[in-house]
Amino acid sequence: MKPFAYVRPSDVAEAVRDVAAEPNAVFLAGGTNLVDHLKLGVARPDLVVDVRTLTSREVTDLPDGGLRLGAASTNSEVAADRRVRERYPVLAQALLAGATGQLRNTATTGGNPLQRTRCVYFQDVTTPCNKREPGSGCAAVGGYTRYHAILGTTAALPDPTAAETCIATHPSDMAVALAALDAQVQVLGPTGERTLPFTELHRLPGDDPSRDTTLAHGELITAIDLPPLPAGTRSTYRKVRDRASYAFALVSVAAVVVPGGDVRIALGGVAHTPWRATRAEELLRGAELTDDAVRAAMDVELAAAQPQPGEGGGNGFKVPLVHRTVVATLRALTPEGQS
Ligand SMILES: Cc1cc2nc3c(=O)[nH]c(=O)nc-3n(C[C@H](O)[C@H](O)[C@H](O)COP(=O)(O)OP(=O)(O)OC[C@H]3O[C@@H](n4cnc5c(N)ncnc54)[C@H](O)[C@@H]3O)c2cc1C
Ligand code: SF4
């Protein structure tokens, strides 16, 4: 592990100043992702700024009826909160589908959505990876692509050495639920506070796969807000994985059905970001959620999918798997599915 300086500032403003002043500085929260990357040599910061005890650990009521999750609240604490379980079951279920009890007791609301991809080549410093080392190429193209993206990638690029190529997926379960809930992210940065929609936190690889998010250097997540949902809203999370526990999603679906016809669908395991299926949502708005209607809407959503060839057969299986998983998830939210 490369040596680095470690500081624990006295408040969030000082933490932001510390990171902003050092180009090669990072925040540390629960450390369950960052410390692994330090050990592997994937992360090589000069300065680690510990914010774990600086942001709020509380889940608090907002005046509009929503909830604020302090950035230091743990995944276990949020999943166990009665208000989260009753009003936002999709979030509680997504959290409990992630990692293990021990990890959830340490992983935080700020750190979980910012965990980095589990692409095996990203974690192996002996292989080319545009995300880890910009311009070095992408070992995943033509490699082991079972866990890789089918939507929003730059995979159409024929040259795997192209600096833009990246077919990695975002790994967080929590983030998929937060995308479907239209959560808002509270951020403190060197120029002050701002709020951004959760769906704008992550970015597609575009021409710079090394950047996972739209946060500027030094910007700290202080909280994540859950907007109020109308009475009668139903929501759920479904995760498909290779093992029943302790495994990342091959495909996951967070669905929220709001009285009045609004349907929100977010997908995990398919893109560089938690993927809002906006084309399907538009087609399903106000419609009866029959299996056929959902299938037709997902045909449109997945028309742009670019499955990857690769060792072991690639990831073409994800297209029908997404179809089936979305159908089953929405069926569970219909009155018939709930009975
Ligand atoms: C064996 C194993 C299995 C796992 N399985 C799953 C799974 O199935 N599903 C799943 O979703 N996750 C899974 N995880 C990942 C785990 O959930 C994440 O490691 C954890 O949520 C990260 O949170 P943390 O607080 O420990 O973040 P850290 O490791 O402290 O930080 C992660 C990143 O976020 C940045 N950061 C942290 N806090 C802030 C903040 N407030 N503002 C700005 N930047 C910040 C850090 O600089 C770092 O880049 C697994 C992890 C392991 C080790
Ligand atoms: S898919 Fe992305 S993270 Fe994985 S090797 Fe290619 S560039 Fe790196």
Side-chain angles (χ1 to χ4, degrees):
M1 190 190 299
K2 174 180 163 289
F4 55 83
Y6 168 89
V7 293
R8 189 183 285 173
S10 51
D11 58 31
V12 285
E14 189 183 335
V16 167
R17 279 197 302 275
D18 285 346
V19 171
E22 165 53 63
N24 197 17
V26 290
F27 295 116
L28 172 77
T32 60
N33 190 228
L34 182 62
V35 173
D36 279 354
H37 287 165
L38 294 173
K39 290 191 224 164
L40 290 167
V42 170
R44 297 171 56 79
D46 291 320
L47 174 66
V48 172
V49 178
D50 191 339
V51 293
R52 179 57 190 266
T53 56
L54 304 184
T55 53
S56 167
R57 197 168 169 166
E58 303 292 315
V59 177
T60 48
D61 289 296
L62 289 169
D64 65 2
L67 286 180
R68 172 162 292 177
L69 316 177
S73 55
T74 67
N75 289 178
S76 299
E77 287 163 345
V78 174
D81 187 279
R82 182 184 48 78
R83 295 160 296 179
V84 174
R85 283 189 285 127
E86 288 176 359
R87 282 144 56 184
Y88 307 96
V90 64
L91 177 58
Q93 291 164 11
L95 286 165
L96 293 174
T100 62
Q102 291 95 329
L103 284 159
R104 293 193 293 268
N105 288 343
T106 305
T108 63
T109 293
N112 183 300
L114 298 183
Q115 63 177 288
R116 308 207 68 193
T117 181
R118 309 302 287 201
C119 171
V120 289
Y121 306 101
F122 173 73
Q123 294 181 321
D124 177 353
V125 294
T126 65
T127 60
C129 169
N130 288 325
K131 184 177 283 298
R132 180 170 28 74
E133 196 180 327
S136 62
C138 173
V141 172
Y144 187 69
T145 55
R146 183 170 175 79
Y147 288 92
H148 287 79
I150 55 171
L151 289 166
T153 66
T154 46
L157 295 166
D159 177 6
T161 62
E164 302 93 329
T165 308
C166 181
I167 55 171
T169 50
H170 182 73
S172 162
D173 290 295
M174 178 189 200
V176 182
L178 292 173
L181 288 168
D182 282 339
Q184 302 283 310
V185 187
Q186 303 297 340
V187 175
L188 177 68
T191 57
E193 293 177 345
R194 69 180 178 115
T195 303
L196 78 155
F198 190 83
T199 48
E200 292 173 17
L201 175 64
H202 298 93
R203 62 184 291 285
L204 292 174
D207 61 1
D208 184 2
S210 69
R211 289 177 51 224
D212 296 346
T213 73
T214 56
L215 293 178
H217 182 67
E219 283 197 315
L220 176 76
I221 294 179
T222 54
I224 294 183
D225 292 351
L226 307 178
L229 291 168
T233 297
R234 285 161 285 141
S235 70
T236 193
Y237 186 72
R238 187 176 284 243
K239 176 175 179 178
V240 181
R241 48 190 156 177
D242 280 331
R243 286 191 309 258
S245 73
Y246 207 41
F248 287 86
L250 286 167
V251 162
S252 69
V253 178
V256 179
V257 176
V258 183
D262 199 13
V263 179
R264 300 192 217 145
I265 303 166
L267 306 176
V270 296
H272 203 249
T273 63
W275 184 268
R276 266 297 281 267
T278 50
R279 293 177 192 82
E281 289 177 359
E282 266 167 44
L283 291 165
L284 291 171
R285 189 163 299 125
E288 198 185 339
L289 296 179
T290 62
D291 290 0
D292 284 347
V294 176
R295 267 188 217 109
M298 288 309 294
D299 274 340
V300 174
E301 184 68 42
L302 292 168
Q306 291 179 323
Q308 289 296 307
E311 290 166 24
N315 67 4
F317 70 92
K318 284 194 178 184
V319 176
L321 186 58
V322 172
H323 255 282
R324 288 198 301 273
T325 312
V326 173
V327 169
T329 308
L330 283 174
R331 193 190 295 144
L333 294 178
T334 61
E336 300 76 39
Q338 291 192 313
S339 60

